[in-house]
Amino acid sequence: GYQWYGIGPASKGADSSEFSACLEGVTSVDALLTALHFGRSAQEPIATQVEGADCLGAIWLDPQVSNHQFIYTKGNAKRVVEVQGESLKSSDFGGSETCNSDLSEFCSIVEVSKHDLVCLDLGSGGGNDLFDADKCKGRVAELVTRLHEEGDEGAFCTVGKVIAESLAGEGEDPVYWLAGHSEAQCTVSSCNEGEDSKIDYDALYACTLHSNAFSTTVVLLILLSFYFVLMGVVADGYLVPALVQIGRGLKMSDALLGATLLALGGAANDFMTGFVSALSSV
């Protein structure tokens, strides 16, 4: 926890770009929640030891709270442990006496905010009764909006991506996972990069149309109709007359013209798209 203290966007004099850069490597929810908790802390964390389990090393506590929420990991098992005060005992963390004796017994204890536990799904044996997927969306929306207002352009992308994928599966787009929270959807839509389209459809849906599915469908149908009309106008006004003139000059019949030059003209856009894509990857 200490490594996150002082670099969060809420910390005085903190560089938000440093916080974002550190968050880029975070892939687990518990590590993310720890970073958010201590990154927003106004007081320096204090180090303490777990009595009877010196093998765990120093555990960092938030001095601003008296009721601490920990994620206790032992091997592949995780559970939430609540401790009152700053005195930590091995009895609070079952089996901690044998922690780190070998790789299968690797243990860690990290503190997180109680408010963030709604996003931590540890199953029925994890001891986290606060988990709620719907409330988690509201919490993520709050965090995304706050980080964006604090000027941390990268942190809110990591928050949305990591939590959305942890609850809905790998590859889940936070723009659509945050359905019902239009402001947060609009914010995270700026995280999607690398699109080849000239139109940012995520931003169109989440920002311009305020995540209204009906309005988005109408607008997309209008755009689709416009593209079809435009294609017809271009083909009728330019492509066909040009092909007719070429065919007449080469003394080609209409059937042969349609099977060769017209087919070539219709596939020209696909050919050029593939050609440009191939050149860009060289």
Side-chain angles (χ1 to χ4, degrees):
Y2 188 83
Q3 67 267 32
W4 296 106
Y5 171 71
I7 65 172
S11 302
K12 184 177 180 181
D15 182 1
S16 62
S17 61
E18 181 183 359
F19 186 62
S20 298
C22 292
L23 277 184
E24 285 184 3
V26 174
T27 57
S28 65
V29 176
D30 49 346
L32 176 66
L33 299 185
T34 301
L36 292 173
H37 180 58
F38 285 102
R40 298 196 304 266
S41 179
Q43 295 185 30
E44 184 175 355
I46 57 177
T48 188
Q49 296 282 340
V50 178
E51 295 180 18
D54 295 336
C55 55
L56 286 171
I59 308 300
W60 295 100
L61 301 181
D62 183 357
Q64 300 175 104
V65 298
S66 59
N67 187 14
H68 302 275
Q69 308 292 328
F70 296 99
I71 301 176
Y72 172 43
T73 303
K74 184 178 182 182
N76 295 323
K78 292 184 181 183
R79 64 187 179 92
V80 172
V81 176
E82 182 177 338
V83 177
Q84 294 281 350
E86 298 177 359
S87 177
L88 305 182
K89 300 179 181 179
S90 59
S91 57
D92 297 324
F93 307 93
S96 57
E97 302 88 348
T98 61
C99 277
N100 301 329
S101 58
D102 55 58
L103 292 177
S104 63
E105 294 294 323
F106 174 78
C107 300
S108 68
I109 300 174
V110 293
E111 184 174 0
V112 298
S113 170
K114 185 175 183 178
H115 300 294
D116 294 336
L117 288 178
V118 295
C119 293
L120 188 64
D121 183 10
L122 299 180
S124 57
N128 184 20
D129 298 330
L130 297 177
F131 171 69
D132 188 306
D134 292 330
K135 290 182 180 179
C136 178
K137 291 183 181 181
R139 179 59 176 167
V140 171
E142 177 188 343
L143 290 171
V144 164
T145 302
R146 180 191 302 171
L147 289 168
H148 180 254
E149 290 174 349
E150 291 170 348
D152 202 319
E153 295 298 327
F156 65 78
C157 295
T158 302
V159 170
K161 181 178 183 295
V162 171
I163 296 181
E165 290 188 347
S166 72
L167 297 181
E170 187 175 354
E172 178 69 15
D173 191 334
V175 173
Y176 303 102
W177 180 77
L178 284 168
H181 304 275
S182 57
E183 183 178 355
Q185 284 181 293
C186 179
T187 300
V188 297
S189 68
S190 63
C191 302
N192 294 336
E193 299 178 352
E195 298 293 339
D196 294 329
S197 174
K198 297 298 183 181
I199 299 177
D200 188 339
Y201 290 101
D202 285 336
L204 175 66
Y205 165 71
C207 303
T208 307
L209 300 174
H210 305 290
S211 304
N212 187 303
F214 177 77
S215 299
T216 303
T217 302
V218 172
V219 169
L220 292 179
L221 287 175
I222 292 173
L223 282 175
L224 184 62
S225 301
F226 171 75
Y227 289 148
F228 275 114
V229 171
L230 181 62
M231 186 181 299
V233 169
V234 171
D236 188 55
Y238 298 93
L239 179 60
V240 173
L243 289 177
V244 169
Q245 291 298 323
I246 294 173
R248 295 293 178 265
L250 297 176
K251 297 181 180 180
M252 300 172 63
S253 65
D254 291 343
L256 181 60
L257 187 63
T260 55
L261 295 182
L262 183 60
L264 177 62
N269 57 337
D270 294 328
F271 172 77
M272 292 305 298
T273 300
F275 181 70
V276 171
S277 177
L279 288 180
S280 63
S281 63
V282 173

